[in-house]
Amino acid sequence: MSDPIHSLSLKKLRDGIHAGNFSVMEATDAYLERIANFNEELNAFITVTRDSAQAQAVEIDNRIRKGELDGAMAGLPYALKDLFCSKDVLTTCGSNMLRNFVSPYDAHVAERLKAAGGVLLGKNNMDEFAMGSSNETSAFGNVRNPWDTDCVPGGSSGGGAATVAARLAPVALGSDTGGSIRQPASFCNITGIKPTYGRISRYGMIAFASSLDQCGPMAPSAEDCAITLNVIAGLDARDSTSVDRPVPDYTATLNDSIDGLKIGLPKEFFAEGLNPQVGAVIERAIKEFEARGAIIKEVTLPNSHLAVPVYYVVAPAECSSNLSRFDGVRFGHRCENPQDLKDLYERSRWEGFGAEVKRRIMIGTYALSAGYYDAYYLKAQKIRRLIQQDFAEAFKDVDVIMGPSAPTTAFKLGAKKDDPIAMYLEDLYTIPVSLAGLPGMTFPIGFAADGLPVGMQLVGNYFEEARMLNIAHQYQLSTDWHTQVPAKFA
Amino acid sequence: MAISEAEVRKVAHLARLAMTEDSVEAYTRNLSNILDLVAQMEAVDTDGVVPMAHPLDMTQRLREDVVTETNHREAYQAVAPETEDGLYLVPKVIE
């Protein structure tokens, strides 16, 4: 008997379709059936686009048969985090503010995947406006981690991580502002990459903190991520921060040798705060790289302990500015019977946003208010430079940096819900990378003593995504952590 | 507390949030905790450090000054809470 469709990599799915082993419709239906069976338990999707997926599948089957489509993602099902605008599809951003928002246009990445012949299965649950590290701030209920349904999947791209971990889609797009791809991918035993800031257009990706937000793929393997990144990376005039720089074929270098690779371990990432169970798994994986000929060096990022404080000025400041667009006038929630314009704004926003979003808007508004700008935003931007310089120094000695993606494994639902600071510290190791604008990824390296997955964070220099994917792929060629699926979802 | 209840009320107003009276205490506590975390920045010597606005120190890309957007008024207004004759409706602003 051949392998079930949901166990196939993107490459094998594509090849199976093109060889005529199964149709796009069969692949699409296989995933839709899994979503129908498992989503109620996981709550990983806010919207399932069953009808449009089946219609797209028919059309793409025809186009492939006629020879009009033969790209690497032709016919492949995928899911989108619900902050990517999808034309004629509900796009909520996990918020009551956008509970009824049917987007009139497609995000750049949605356009790219459509043009490549992908089939949209649905929109993934997420922390409201991507603000959270557990997916518990969603207005559409929390997502459950397929590895232990009493645990969180991480956040903010928790829906996408759970979706891929349970194989309800072969790939999902997430977004990462301070760790929102890497931390949930780590909690759910999948691979995820946040490329260099500017590598992928943010057009149509609902903004949280514009100087940090970046889209990226989440999938079982580095190869799957490389295939997806090939489709979505590159210049887009509609995002002025999108970088005008050629996009390499990320799959072409996956098999390059990693002999002599110089790996830096930041001593600050192995200090107090790291759960020893997680540390033990990380150290074992580092030894595996060493056994394969990598050279391990200690590096230092002396300002990295300041990253979380800096982030909680920069991100809320940008969020308070970005989210001022939600005014109850042009789109989104509007309060009942507004007495005057001020009442319309104030009640629509108070009712539409959840508590964490309102906290961040207020912190940002406070930090940017008259008299405080120098002490908060300007100071934070200066320390951000120091954090970036730490990485620049480290990259003089090493090719890549490795360390934990998160200080813990997935925690229990509700464990940190009422303690914002404890939640913020979840992103201790991912935030410095985001502030520097560097590419960061995570890939599965095993399970801690509590039975939950651990991800290795891999940080490259600017635009070194191909090298990072190559390193993770080489690791995955000789390990099977990334192919493991919770028994219930196998 | 790093921020007072009066300041929280003022910030809520600046952010156009109709904060309810029974929420003030909890927001004051949470915002104070966040500001305490942020206060770690104060001890850092940043004299002479250039603020980082963009990780790649790019310059703004310019484009030709030509019309690129077509008219999507109907599609965009279809998602508005209230419109009339192609205009957005809001409560009366001028008496």
Side-chain angles (χ1 to χ4, degrees), chain B residues 38-57:
Chain B
V38 162
Q40 288 178 52
M41 297 196 313
E42 286 167 22
V44 185
D45 179 5
T46 52
D47 280 356
V49 178
V50 181
M52 178 176 152
H54 192 293
L56 303 173
D57 290 320

Side-chain angles (χ1 to χ4, degrees), chain A residues 101-102 104-105 196-197 211 235-237 239-244 305-306 308-310 312-313 328-332 334 338-342 344-347 349-350 353 355 358-359 361-363 365-366 369 372 375-376 378-386 388 420-421 424 435-437 462-463, chain B residues 2-3 7-20 22-24 26-27 29-35 37-61 63 69 72 75-83 88-93:
Chain A
F101 180 72
V102 176
Y105 70 103
T196 307
Y197 179 77
S211 79
L235 179 67
D236 170 28
D239 170 4
S240 66
T241 60
S242 151
V243 174
D244 187 4
H305 67 288
L306 296 163
V308 173
V310 165
Y312 280 95
V313 172
V329 175
R330 290 160 303 151
F331 43 76
R334 166 178 264 196
Q339 299 305 301
D340 52 28
L341 197 58
K342 176 175 159 290
L344 168 68
Y345 292 153
E346 294 198 344
R347 275 200 295 131
R349 289 167 61 78
W350 181 259
F353 294 132
K358 285 187 276 208
R359 278 196 283 271
I361 289 174
M362 280 193 266
I363 285 290
T365 303
Y366 178 76
S369 62
Y372 292 109
Y376 288 109
L378 196 65
K379 184 84 179 177
Q381 293 286 62
K382 287 180 177 177
I383 302 175
R384 194 175 172 185
R385 173 81 61 194
L386 298 177
Q388 182 195 35
I421 303 294
Y424 297 172
L435 288 171
Y462 297 107
F463 301 103
Chain B
I3 187 168
E7 284 174 300
V8 168
R9 285 194 191 89
K10 184 181 163 214
V11 170
H13 172 66
L14 288 174
R16 296 295 180 266
L17 292 165
M19 178 170 281
T20 53
D22 61 354
S23 310
V24 174
Y27 275 93
R29 191 177 60 245
N30 281 319
L31 299 190
S32 286
N33 289 342
I34 298 169
L35 291 172
L37 172 81
V38 162
Q40 288 178 52
M41 297 196 313
E42 286 167 22
V44 185
D45 179 5
T46 52
D47 280 356
V49 178
V50 181
M52 178 176 152
H54 192 293
L56 303 173
D57 290 320
M58 293 198 323
T59 49
Q60 186 67 47
R61 197 172 53 246
R63 64 168 177 85
E69 269 293 305
H72 297 291
Y76 292 169
Q77 289 204 333
V79 292
E82 234 185 320
T83 60
Y88 292 101
L89 285 190
V90 294
K92 195 170 174 183
V93 178

Side-chain angles (χ1 to χ4, degrees), chain A residues 288-315:
Chain A
E288 289 167 11
F289 276 101
E290 200 170 14
R292 271 166 233 206
I295 299 152
I296 312 294
K297 291 184 84 166
E298 186 181 273
V299 295
T300 176
L301 303 171
N303 291 292
S304 58
H305 67 288
L306 296 163
V308 173
V310 165
Y311 180 83
Y312 280 95
V313 172
V314 173

